[in-house]
Amino acid sequence: MKSTESKIPQFYDISDEELHAVNTVYRKILEKAKIYGYDEIQTSSFELKDRYLSATNVHPSKIFEAVRPKQRTTFLLASDLAMSISRFIADLPTIPPVVKLIQLNNLFRDRIPEISGYRREFKQVLLGVWGSPSFFYDAELIDITYRSLQEIQGIQLNYLQISNHDIFNAVSPGLAQEIRFNGIEKLIESDLSSSDKAILLSLFHQGTVPITEFFDIASNIKNEEIQKEVEKVKTVYHYLHTLQFPGKILFSLSNFGGTGHYTGMNYRIYANLREEKGVLIADGGRINNLCQKFNPTKEIDAVCMGIGIQVIAQKLFFAQKEKVLLILPEKELNQAMYQILIIRKILSDYRVSILPLPTLERKKQFFQSPFYQNCCFIFYEKEHIEVRSDNPEQKATIEKLLCTFL
């Protein structure tokens, strides 16, 4: 059965099939992260309203509120896992050493676009490292994420895209965000030399380029502050090379996503999910000022990577044990329990659901129910067994397994 939209628009009731996909993907990511020393955490879905809003550039109208009427207090539902974990870190009594964390949780976002299938409540996975400015952790996060996704059947990874918003901000503070909302003309209006402008404009209009090609082109830039930012990109690239990163790496100067969230470096992973091409399934970057937004005394460098696990789960199907319904009259249940246990043992490779009914006259309802599509039915009455299935091979297999019992 597929997930279905509830009576509240863009809020969904999630099916077993999709939940199984979420859990399958998360187990793969968690298994890899645990090997590299990441601890699992689950932060609260409720956040203090004023504190949360002061730490984000997201407009309040896009964040859901939760009200306690008797106390006349209002909270916000978490809309960003990086913010929630950074708030947790900021509230610790002392500034911690390096902390590696991973979380799967629900997020709530009230976006304006009416996109078909868009969800205002969805699950996300976030991996992050708090407590170090070293770009080694950026590379490690990227590598773990990429290798985890690479092992999931149905995901065809395309490439890793690296961006650095501070290449523009090195020209003028806040320039990246100005270009994002007002156009590349803001670069043209700057005091940067004409030759450096020409190089940046060329890179901007190319969209994405192989990372080594970016380094070759950027080597001609004369501005020292920009070169410092290029060196940061090189550092991440060299760490990835050391880790033997298995994917293609591109650089984009035209990506301005998260300029109000990330402090410079931004990382995106694109993939094909079955028939859908070029899907953004992971997005992260440096969040060096996020803890400080919650607690001014906590200057803690950090980096994170969020994975769109709900998007993956909606697009992919992961097989699980087939469901078998063992249906019998309720009045025969006590006498048949020993036989039922034997049938369960014989069919240990299936999910066997025991359904005692007042009478077997209702059995036709199961054939028509969306909850039992493609199921195999075993009707047990007065020690007589009948197997029904739309799949002839499945029916034959189960009858063969039951023949010793029959």
Side-chain angles (χ1 to χ4, degrees):
M1 184 176 179
K2 297 293 185 182
S3 300
T4 55
E5 190 169 10
S6 72
K7 296 297 183 182
I8 307 172
Q10 296 181 318
F11 281 85
Y12 281 71
D13 298 313
I14 311 302
S15 69
D16 174 78
E17 180 181 303
E18 187 173 325
L19 287 172
H20 176 66
V22 167
N23 293 331
T24 300
V25 174
Y26 181 57
R27 280 197 301 269
K28 183 67 68 175
I29 299 167
L30 180 63
E31 179 183 308
K32 185 77 71 176
K34 287 278 189 178
I35 292 172
Y36 285 82
Y38 287 72
D39 293 325
E40 199 171 13
I41 189 174
Q42 185 164 4
T43 53
S44 170
S45 294
F46 285 72
E47 299 287 351
L48 293 172
K49 181 178 179 178
D50 292 341
R51 193 182 190 208
Y52 202 70
L53 291 179
S54 66
T56 180
N57 291 330
V58 176
H59 195 273
S61 65
K62 297 182 180 180
I63 302 178
F64 284 97
E65 294 184 350
V67 179
R68 297 179 70 195
K70 288 186 178 180
Q71 290 76 13
R72 296 182 180 179
T73 51
T74 303
F75 303 94
L76 298 183
L77 294 179
S79 63
D80 188 292
L81 290 184
M83 289 184 62
S84 294
I85 303 181
S86 294
R87 182 266 306 156
F88 162 76
I89 296 291
D91 286 344
L92 294 175
T94 58
I95 295 178
V98 176
V99 178
K100 298 180 176 183
L101 298 172
I102 179 173
Q103 175 170 197
L104 167 67
N105 213 337
N106 282 21
L107 294 179
F108 303 84
R109 295 180 185 174
D110 194 15
R111 295 281 175 83
I112 302 301
E114 295 293 328
I115 302 172
S116 176
Y118 182 85
R119 297 184 182 181
R120 288 183 160 93
E121 178 186 7
F122 59 93
K123 292 184 183 294
Q124 187 187 65
V125 175
L126 187 105
L127 299 92
V129 181
W130 283 259
S132 175
S134 173
F135 286 116
F136 167 78
Y137 295 106
D138 302 50
E140 182 182 79
L141 270 181
I142 294 166
D143 194 59
I144 292 171
T145 303
Y146 201 94
R147 290 181 188 275
S148 300
L149 296 174
Q150 197 175 41
E151 294 177 8
I152 297 169
Q153 187 174 3
I155 298 179
Q156 181 186 347
L157 294 174
N158 290 343
Y159 59 89
L160 162 70
Q161 175 186 284
I162 298 180
S163 303
N164 185 355
H165 303 143
D166 282 346
I167 287 177
F168 284 118
N169 294 334
V171 178
S172 174
L175 180 60
Q177 189 140 332
E178 284 192 51
I179 294 173
R180 177 183 182 181
F181 294 110
N182 300 303
I184 195 64
E185 291 76 16
K186 290 295 178 181
L187 172 66
I188 299 171
E189 296 170 5
S190 71
D191 295 331
L192 189 65
S193 69
S194 57
S195 61
D196 285 354
K197 279 183 189 177
I199 295 171
L200 294 184
L201 284 170
S202 174
L203 286 167
F204 173 82
H205 289 300
Q206 287 184 69
T208 55
V209 297
I211 190 119
T212 52
E213 183 179 328
F214 163 70
F215 293 143
D216 289 340
I217 295 171
S219 65
N220 296 310
I221 295 174
K222 301 296 190 293
N223 186 287
E224 292 183 2
E225 295 304 313
I226 293 178
Q227 282 298 339
K228 290 178 183 178
E229 298 304 325
V230 173
E231 283 300 315
K232 292 178 183 178
V233 180
K234 285 183 178 180
T235 302
V236 174
Y237 174 73
H238 289 313
Y239 278 129
L240 285 170
H241 183 71
T242 302
L243 293 171
Q244 298 181 330
F245 179 72
K248 180 167 67 173
I249 305 175
L250 304 180
F251 183 86
S252 173
L253 198 61
S254 58
N255 164 38
F256 294 102
T259 51
H261 186 67
Y262 299 119
T263 52
M265 301 295 291
N266 174 230
Y267 314 108
R268 291 182 163 190
I269 295 174
Y270 290 87
N272 298 338
L273 300 178
R274 303 292 187 196
E275 71 286 350
E276 192 165 346
K277 310 297 183 183
V279 180
L280 174 62
I281 60 172
D283 184 15
R286 274 279 149 184
I287 47 172
N288 291 339
N289 61 0
L290 206 46
C291 288
Q292 198 170 13
K293 288 182 177 180
F294 288 102
N295 185 338
T297 66
K298 298 291 178 68
E299 296 184 24
I300 302 172
D301 293 318
V303 61
C304 69
M305 179 66 80
I307 301 170
I309 195 168
Q310 199 90 58
V311 174
I312 296 171
Q314 287 174 255
K315 304 294 182 184
L316 302 185
F317 171 78
F318 296 91
Q320 53 183 323
K321 285 185 177 182
E322 296 177 64
K323 187 188 291 185
V324 172
L325 305 184
L326 176 57
I327 301 174
L328 74 164
E330 188 172 9
K331 63 183 179 181
E332 297 184 19
L333 183 61
N334 286 336
Q335 293 180 342
M337 284 304 298
Y338 177 71
Q339 288 84 352
I340 289 171
L341 292 176
I342 294 175
I343 292 173
R344 272 193 178 279
K345 187 174 182 180
I346 292 171
L347 302 180
S348 59
D349 289 334
Y350 297 84
R351 294 182 290 156
V352 180
S353 178
I354 302 167
L355 299 174
L357 302 180
T359 68
L360 291 191
E361 293 177 359
R362 292 180 53 199
K363 62 186 181 183
K364 290 183 180 179
Q365 298 176 10
F366 289 89
F367 302 150
Q368 300 165 353
S369 172
F371 286 98
Y372 301 112
Q373 290 176 349
N374 304 317
C375 282
C376 180
F377 300 87
I378 300 176
F379 297 106
Y380 183 96
E381 186 174 17
K382 296 178 181 179
E383 298 187 357
H384 172 73
I385 287 181
E386 177 188 2
V387 180
R388 288 193 189 181
S389 174
D390 291 334
N391 184 336
E393 291 183 9
Q394 182 189 57
K395 182 175 184 293
T397 299
I398 290 179
E399 285 180 334
K400 184 177 180 180
L401 288 169
L402 291 173
C403 68
T404 54
F405 174 75
L406 295 172

